[in-house]
């Protein structure tokens, strides 16, 4: 019986204290439903820590960040330059996202905002001005 179901989900367990996010949706009767293609051990964990955002390179010609989440993983990310959505590329192997100007005569200037949300809804926002 879990009193606080927000930010809680199902994780598969493997190794010594290693977990992999499996998902899960809480129902009205207090149960959690999830699908898995694998047999094994599962547990319910709470993830209340937001993702980590580390700027690597922020300049007029390139934006590059490392984004990581310790437990449930990255669910979504959105970047904006002066409140205009920016297409970012993602390398999951190295947890790096980056963008380059699509047009040669436009560069990144103004307010930069990066919003990163993990799979259980924890959010972190990074803002800076160029």
């Amino acid at each position: 019986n879990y009193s606080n179901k927000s930010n809680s989900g199902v994780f598969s367990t493997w190794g010594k204290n290693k977990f992999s996010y499996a998902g899960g949706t809480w129902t009205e009767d207090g149960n959690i439903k999830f699908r898995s293609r694998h047999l094994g051990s599962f547990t319910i964990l709470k993830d209340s820590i937001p993702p980590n955002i580390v700027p690597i390179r922020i300049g007029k010609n390139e934006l590059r960040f490392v984004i990581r989440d310790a437990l449930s993983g990255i669910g979504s990310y959105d970047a904006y330059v002066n409140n205009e959505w920016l297409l970012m590329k993602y390398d999951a192997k190295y947890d790096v996202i980056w963008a380059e100007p699509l047009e040669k005569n436009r560069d990144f200037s103004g307010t930069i905002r990066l919003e990163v949300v993990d799979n259980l809804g924890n959010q972190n926002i990074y803002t800076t001005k160029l």
Side-chain angles (χ1 to χ4, degrees):
N1 189 4
Y2 290 86
S3 60
N4 188 0
K5 296 175 179 82
S6 66
N7 301 83
S8 296
V10 177
F11 292 80
S12 63
T13 61
W14 52 280
K16 186 177 180 179
N17 294 327
K18 296 192 181 209
F19 306 101
S20 179
Y21 182 68
T25 305
W26 290 96
T27 62
E28 291 181 15
D29 58 356
N31 294 320
I32 191 165
K33 291 185 176 185
F34 73 101
R35 292 184 179 264
S36 176
R37 296 176 137 191
H38 308 284
L39 298 174
S41 298
F42 296 90
T43 187
I44 298 173
L45 295 175
K46 182 176 180 73
D47 181 4
S48 60
I49 300 171
N52 190 20
I53 301 171
V54 178
I56 297 174
R57 192 171 302 133
I58 298 175
K60 295 195 180 285
N61 296 319
E62 183 182 18
L63 300 175
R64 189 174 292 261
F65 301 90
V66 171
I67 56 173
R68 289 192 177 116
D69 188 68
L71 195 54
S72 65
I74 301 297
S76 66
Y77 55 90
D78 287 302
Y80 302 90
V81 176
N82 294 325
N83 293 324
E84 184 178 323
W85 185 79
L86 176 65
L87 176 66
M88 299 289 285
K89 298 174 186 173
Y90 181 46
D91 183 351
K93 182 177 180 179
Y94 298 105
D95 300 323
V96 173
I97 61 172
W98 74 95
E100 299 164 349
L102 295 176
E103 300 172 14
K104 296 288 183 190
N105 58 352
R106 286 186 72 183
D107 56 6
F108 300 124
S109 61
T111 303
I112 310 293
R113 187 174 83 240
L114 175 63
E115 301 173 0
V116 181
V117 181
D118 69 11
N119 283 311
L120 287 173
N122 300 306
Q123 181 181 35
N124 193 359
I125 299 174
Y126 175 87
T127 57
T128 190
K129 287 191 177 231
L130 277 178

